[in-house]
């Protein structure tokens, strides 16, 4: 198998250690590439196998004295990977303080590793692939394809990510293209109301025919372009570029078959003006249409059916919108973003989460009927920067403990608006606020800016509804705030258990059922956000939702931090913000750990039923599916 090696590896990878107990398992590991050799032999015909006997491989015996530290741990780092035909990844690990007689010091044995050993590697590789997919959609197709290498090579080229991005742009592109097309032909559907009946009859004739839009020579065509190159190892590779091109090379189609991707014709804008109304529409040069066949749009034989039918009362009757459509419409209106919110359910026929129907969407501020947040602007920290570039000179940062790697005062965000992960646990990030002189584009106002990625609330098989994005999300992307009804913790204690699983104490922990200890731990003080439901037909004010749908995972892809921009620091009135701790592929569920302090190991039953996990009281079985799953979550 081909391995993705040092070329893509960061030399700055943190060194990791592996436990002695795990290492001892490697006694069976006799060669650096055991499985690889085995598999190659599997391919060799029987006769050849007889001729080419495998040479004996020495049995390795390792002991703690050979390179382990005093805790019996070895330093290792991941330096390569290979992907098998089922998509499983095998890592090449370098054992820094140990080597064989022949000087080699790597293994390809995942059994010797724990997830934490390759987490950083995975993160860096995933980010690299996302970056590659952003750069271009080119895929190299190797002329000497050997099946073992294919998956690793494709992964190294970010094939899946590129394919996803292409498909996504196809989906994104189609609705606006269709809308433009329909708009440009609206006159063929609508009749001028003032026209006399006779004229109507005449004009109805062409509308019963097909309207054909032909691609003309001025219309851009999509075609894949291909370039070939010879590599130093003698192998030839072919690059498939996906994009618009003025020429199409039909001869390449057979080469492309196994990897063919079919992105849409690129839409570069079409005129929707009324000029030329009534005339047959030719595609404008700006509108790229798929060659070679013309698009055929069958028109209704009875043009009236395209209009809403009149009701008896004389009012227009349109198609009734589904609950899902109505809710999407309402939430998208309430959202402070143009990036859409949608619902999806491939599991059953529930259209939207049960508690959502009477639920109002709230994206960026608390619902604060008691005015806990009301503050005299005089008390807000503020800065006089025109543009907040240097945290050292931004007064909003004067009281924070945030520093960069050189120990200088720093913002919590990079210039690209990503979280810098430099906030000491429990500290509040202080963003610039309404009293500052900088504007909304300021680097230090990330959570105040409109959401710029789509959200989908979708039904999971076993965890109710969850949230995901249709777009790839980079590490450090701030995904939103946990909003809802702001209440005192005391008031939150009076809520029922169901409701409390949607509450977050503003100390950054989800509310737990440990009320006996609360008076001692100062639980009476402080605030809680309830992001769940409005009672049906109730007059209670709007609440939030998307955050309320985020599932728990013991190996989450989000974490939280505390942030404020409209409150006085250290009053416990900050927001809870979610940030991606790793690159998250489009359509991957957003999850966070509801209870990071929970015991790591599940409680195991003793005696009868030994080995079975006991779900502690007030908890339920966890279905997060993570390799670090604690088996239960508090509700
Ligand atoms: C804040 S709600 C999340 C939204 C919820 N999925 C829904 O459909 O309303 C928390 C509840 O979701 C469910 N849940 C979330 N993550 C889970 C997990 N990993 N395993 C099992 N149930 C989970 C539990 O029922 C939990 O009480």
């Amino acid at each position: 198998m081909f391995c993705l090696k040092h070329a893509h590896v960061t030399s700055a990878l943190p060194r990791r250690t592996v436990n002695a107990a795990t290492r001892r398992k490697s006694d069976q590991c006799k060669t650096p590439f055991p499985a690889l050799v085995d598999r190659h032999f599997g391919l060799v015909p029987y006769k050849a196998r007889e001729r080419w006997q495998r040479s004996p491989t020495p049995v390795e015996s390792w002991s703690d004295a050979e390179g382990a530290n005093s805790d019996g741990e070895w330093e290792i780092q991941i330096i390569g990977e290979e992907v098998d035909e089922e998509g499983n990844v095998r890592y090449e690990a370098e054992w820094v303080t140990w080597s064989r007689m022949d000087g080699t010091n790597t293994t390809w044995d995942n059994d010797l590793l724990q997830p934490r050993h390759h987490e950083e590697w995975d993160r860096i590789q995933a980010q690299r692939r996302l970056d590659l997919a952003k750069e271009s959609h080119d895929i190299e197709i190797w002329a000497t394809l050997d099946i073992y290498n294919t998956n690793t090579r494709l992964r190294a080229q970010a094939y899946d990510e590129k394919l996803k991005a292409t498909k996504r742009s196809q989906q994104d592109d189609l609705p606006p293209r269709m809308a433009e097309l329909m708009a440009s032909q609206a006159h063929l559907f609508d009749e001028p109301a003032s026209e006399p009946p006779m004229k109507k009859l005449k004009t109805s004739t062409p509308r019963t025919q097909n309207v054909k839009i032909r691609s003309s020579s001025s219309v851009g065509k999509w075609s894949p372009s291909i370039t070939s190159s010879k590599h130093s190892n003698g192998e030839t590779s072919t690059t498939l570029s996906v994009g618009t091109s003025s020429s199409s090379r039909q001869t390449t189609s057979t080469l492309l078959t196994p990897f063919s991707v079919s992105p849409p014709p690129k839409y570069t804008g079409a005129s929707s003006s009324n000029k030329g109304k009534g005339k047959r529409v030719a595609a404008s040069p700006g509108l790229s249409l798929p060659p070679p066949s013309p698009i055929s749009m069958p028109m209704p034989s009875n043009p009236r059916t395209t209009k809403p039918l009149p009701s008896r009362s004389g009012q227009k009757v349109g198609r009734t919108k589904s609950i899902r459509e109505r809710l999407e419409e309402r939430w998208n209106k309430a959202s402070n973003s143009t990036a859409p919110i949608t619902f999806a359910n491939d599991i059953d026929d529930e259209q939207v989460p049960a508690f959502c129907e009477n639920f109002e969407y709230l994206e960026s501020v608390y619902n604060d009927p008691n005015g806990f947040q009301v503050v005299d602007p005089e008390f807000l920290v503020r800065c006089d920067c025109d543009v907040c570039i240097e945290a050292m000179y931004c007064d909003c940062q004067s009281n924070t403990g945030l520093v960069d790697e050189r120990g200088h005062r720093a913002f919590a965000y990079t210039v690209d608006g990503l979280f810098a992960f430099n906030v000491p646990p429990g500290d509040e990030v202080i963003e610039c606020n309404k009293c500052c002189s900088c504007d909304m584009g300021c680097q230090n106002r990330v959570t105040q800016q409109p959401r710029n990625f789509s959200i989908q609330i979708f039904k999971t098989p076993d965890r109710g509804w969850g949230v995901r994005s249709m777009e790839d999300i980079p590490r450090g992307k701030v995904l939103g705030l946990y909003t809802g009804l702001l209440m005192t913790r005391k008031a939150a204690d009076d809520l029922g258990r169901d409701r409390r699983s949607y509450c977050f104490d503003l100390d950054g922990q989800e509310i737990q059922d440990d009320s006996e200890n609360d008076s001692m731990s100062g639980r009476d003080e402080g605030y809680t956000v309830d992001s769940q439901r409005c009672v049906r037909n109730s007059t209670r004010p709007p609440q939030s939702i998307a955050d309320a749908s985020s599932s728990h995972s013991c190996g989450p892809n989000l974490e939280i931090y505390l942030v404020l921009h409209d409150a006085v620091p250290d009053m416990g009135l900050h927001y809870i913000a979610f940030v991606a701790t790793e690159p998250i592929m489009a359509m991957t569920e957003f999850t966070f750990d509801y209870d990071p302090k929970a015991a790591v190991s599940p409680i195991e039953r003793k005696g009868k039923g030994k080995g079975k996990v006991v779900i502690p009281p007030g908890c339920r079985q966890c279905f997060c599916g993570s390799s670090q799953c604690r088996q239960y979550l508090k509700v």
Side-chain angles (χ1 to χ4, degrees):
M1 261 214 210
F2 172 82
C3 76
L4 169 62
K5 263 186 111 164
H6 309 257
H8 306 297
V9 184
T10 68
S11 50
L13 264 184
R15 305 234 151 160
R16 298 192 172 269
T17 53
V18 68
N19 192 283
T22 5
R23 180 67 188 274
R24 255 177 246 115
K25 279 191 203 160
S26 66
D27 285 350
Q28 316 107 12
C29 175
K30 300 180 181 70
T31 158
F33 313 103
L36 186 64
V37 174
D38 286 341
R39 274 187 218 174
H40 278 188
F41 268 89
L43 257 193
V44 180
Y46 179 71
K47 283 216 158 171
R49 219 185 297 162
E50 280 181 341
R51 237 179 287 140
W52 299 100
Q53 286 295 329
R54 180 157 62 163
S55 53
T57 44
V59 177
E60 284 173 356
S61 70
W62 301 357
S63 78
D64 288 6
E66 279 179 66
N69 66 16
S70 55
D71 297 328
E73 292 176 331
W74 278 267
E75 224 181 294
I76 65 163
Q77 66 185 49
I78 306 296
I79 58 167
E81 69 176 28
E82 62 175 22
V83 187
D84 71 13
E85 56 285 358
E86 279 156 11
N88 302 315
V89 182
R90 204 159 62 116
Y91 299 95
E92 183 180 18
E94 185 179 63
W95 300 73
V96 178
T97 51
W98 169 90
S99 71
R100 298 185 184 85
M101 297 277 280
D102 64 1
T104 57
N105 67 343
T106 59
T107 56
W108 283 90
D109 189 347
N110 280 4
D111 287 347
L112 302 177
L113 306 174
Q114 289 164 15
R116 68 190 164 89
H117 296 130
H118 50 82
E119 263 163 15
E120 180 70 357
W121 166 269
D122 291 341
R123 189 186 67 68
I124 291 168
Q125 296 308 321
Q127 185 62 54
R128 209 193 103 262
R129 289 196 301 272
L130 287 183
D131 292 346
L132 278 178
K134 263 189 219 143
E135 272 167 26
S136 101
H137 288 189
D138 287 3
I139 297 288
E140 271 188 70
I141 300 164
W142 293 66
T144 54
L145 277 181
D146 55 303
I147 55 169
Y148 288 138
N149 289 345
T150 307
N151 292 305
T152 308
R153 277 190 183 134
L154 290 180
R155 182 169 150 105
Q157 294 182 62
Y159 175 75
D160 280 345
E161 288 76 0
K162 290 177 182 188
L163 195 59
K164 267 199 187 118
T166 311
K167 280 190 183 148
R168 223 176 16 257
S169 69
Q170 184 172 12
Q171 283 162 8
D172 291 351
D173 224 2
L174 273 178
R177 279 189 63 231
M178 216 46 212
E180 289 276 356
L181 215 51
M182 298 300 277
S184 67
Q185 296 176 43
H187 58 285
L188 297 172
F189 292 87
D190 289 333
E191 298 163 58
S194 55
E195 277 179 322
M198 278 310 288
K199 203 170 173 192
K200 257 195 217 170
L201 272 175
K202 274 186 199 161
T203 55
S204 70
T205 319
R207 270 182 268 136
T208 61
Q209 296 168 352
N210 284 356
V211 175
K212 289 188 178 171
I213 302 172
R214 292 185 185 283
S215 56
S216 71
S217 57
S218 62
V219 174
K221 293 175 183 172
W222 173 76
S223 87
S225 74
I226 292 198
T227 47
S228 283
S229 55
K230 194 135 179 135
H231 291 259
S232 52
N233 60 4
E235 288 183 283
T236 312
S237 76
T238 303
T239 303
L240 161 60
S241 303
V242 172
T244 46
S245 154
S246 55
S247 66
S248 80
R249 299 178 211 179
Q250 301 297 332
T251 50
T252 59
S253 59
T254 47
L255 235 185
L256 297 180
T257 312
F259 307 107
S260 67
V261 276
S262 44
K266 201 167 178 187
Y267 177 59
T268 49
S271 163
S272 58
S273 82
N274 286 339
K275 213 172 161 198
K277 199 173 172 186
K279 286 185 198 155
R280 201 179 236 204
V281 181
S284 82
L287 177 64
S288 308
L289 294 169
S293 59
I295 293 177
S296 169
M297 295 184 60
M299 304 308 276
S301 55
N302 177 2
R304 273 173 217 224
T305 55
T306 60
K307 289 186 164 186
L309 291 172
S311 73
R312 287 200 179 167
S313 61
Q315 284 174 335
K316 282 181 183 176
V317 178
R319 184 178 73 82
T320 320
K321 284 185 182 150
S322 67
I323 298 172
R324 179 182 299 179
E325 285 168 327
R326 272 185 281 136
L327 203 63
E328 281 176 357
E329 210 169 272
R330 220 167 72 209
W331 285 17
N332 280 302
K333 224 165 152 186
S335 142
N336 63 349
S337 161
T338 47
I341 305 166
T342 50
F343 292 89
N345 185 351
D346 298 330
I347 306 293
D348 54 34
D349 55 5
E350 194 181 17
Q351 286 201 43
V352 294
F355 60 81
C356 283
E357 280 182 58
N358 293 293
F359 207 97
E360 295 300 330
Y361 188 78
L362 186 64
E363 200 161 86
S364 51
V365 285
Y366 289 134
N367 170 20
D368 181 20
N370 297 307
F372 295 130
Q373 280 185 304
V374 177
V375 59
D376 183 339
E378 280 303 304
F379 292 108
L380 290 178
V381 185
R382 72 187 68 186
C383 71
D384 298 324
C385 316
D386 286 338
V387 184
C388 302
I389 298 174
E390 278 291 344
M392 293 231 263
Y393 307 116
C394 176
D395 287 340
C396 292
Q397 299 309 295
S398 54
N399 287 324
T400 69
L402 276 62
V403 287
D404 61 20
E405 60 283 358
R406 290 167 302 159
H408 295 157
R409 214 195 287 165
F411 288 117
Y413 306 109
T414 67
V415 281
D416 300 325
L418 299 178
F419 190 61
F421 295 97
N422 58 355
V423 183
D427 275 20
E428 290 168 335
V429 169
I430 300 178
E431 290 193 355
C432 293
N433 59 57
K434 57 188 175 199
C435 298
C436 296
S437 47
C438 53
D439 63 21
M440 278 307 281
C442 166
Q443 177 189 342
N444 190 36
R445 290 180 186 258
V446 170
T447 64
Q448 299 165 57
Q449 277 148 17
R451 176 172 47 81
N452 58 3
F453 57 93
S454 58
I455 313 180
Q456 186 167 74
I457 317 287
F458 74 104
K459 186 85 180 257
T460 69
D462 45 19
R463 285 156 286 125
W465 292 76
V467 190
R468 63 190 174 194
S469 175
M470 319 290 277
E471 293 153 45
D472 293 333
I473 301 287
R475 177 173 188 265
K477 174 91 183 162
V478 177
L479 299 169
L481 301 173
Y482 197 93
T483 55
L485 179 69
L486 191 60
M487 58 172 75
T488 59
R489 288 192 194 181
K490 210 157 187 252
D493 282 343
D494 298 335
L495 299 171
R497 178 186 290 271
D498 268 4
R499 179 78 169 274
R500 281 202 284 170
S501 65
Y502 293 82
C503 286
F504 228 118
D505 277 352
L506 286 192
D507 59 1
Q509 299 300 313
E510 201 209 12
I511 188 167
Q512 301 302 340
D513 194 17
D514 50 4
S515 25
E516 301 131 45
N517 304 326
D518 290 343
S519 49
M520 273 130 49
S521 62
R523 177 156 177 83
D524 288 356
E525 293 157 24
Y527 301 92
T528 290
V529 184
D530 172 13
S531 70
Q532 209 212 1
R533 65 195 78 180
C534 281
V535 181
R536 207 178 180 83
N537 298 328
S538 114
T539 52
R540 280 183 63 174
Q543 317 245 313
S544 81
I545 169 64
D547 330 284
S549 289
S550 294
S551 295
H552 159 84
S553 171
C554 306
N557 51 20
L558 310 186
E559 70 181 29
I560 56 163
Y561 66 92
L562 314 180
V563 59
L564 58 86
H565 55 81
D566 48 11
V568 178
D570 301 325
M571 298 280 289
L573 279 165
H574 43 250
Y575 293 96
I576 288 173
F578 292 92
V579 57
T581 52
E582 59 190 35
I584 304 174
M585 297 257 280
M587 307 297 275
T588 307
E589 185 174 10
F590 293 155
T591 57
F592 67 100
D593 192 337
Y594 287 4
D595 187 14
K597 284 193 284 190
V600 173
S601 312
I603 305 161
E604 297 215 344
R605 213 186 282 273
K606 295 200 176 110
K608 211 175 159 205
K610 197 177 165 193
K612 280 196 178 161
V613 172
V614 180
I615 307 289
C619 297
R620 72 175 51 169
Q621 191 179 350
C622 178
F623 295 116
C624 74
S626 145
S627 56
Q628 302 122 48
C629 184
R630 299 188 291 261
Q631 315 286 340
Y632 64 87
L633 74 148
K634 287 189 177 166
V635 287

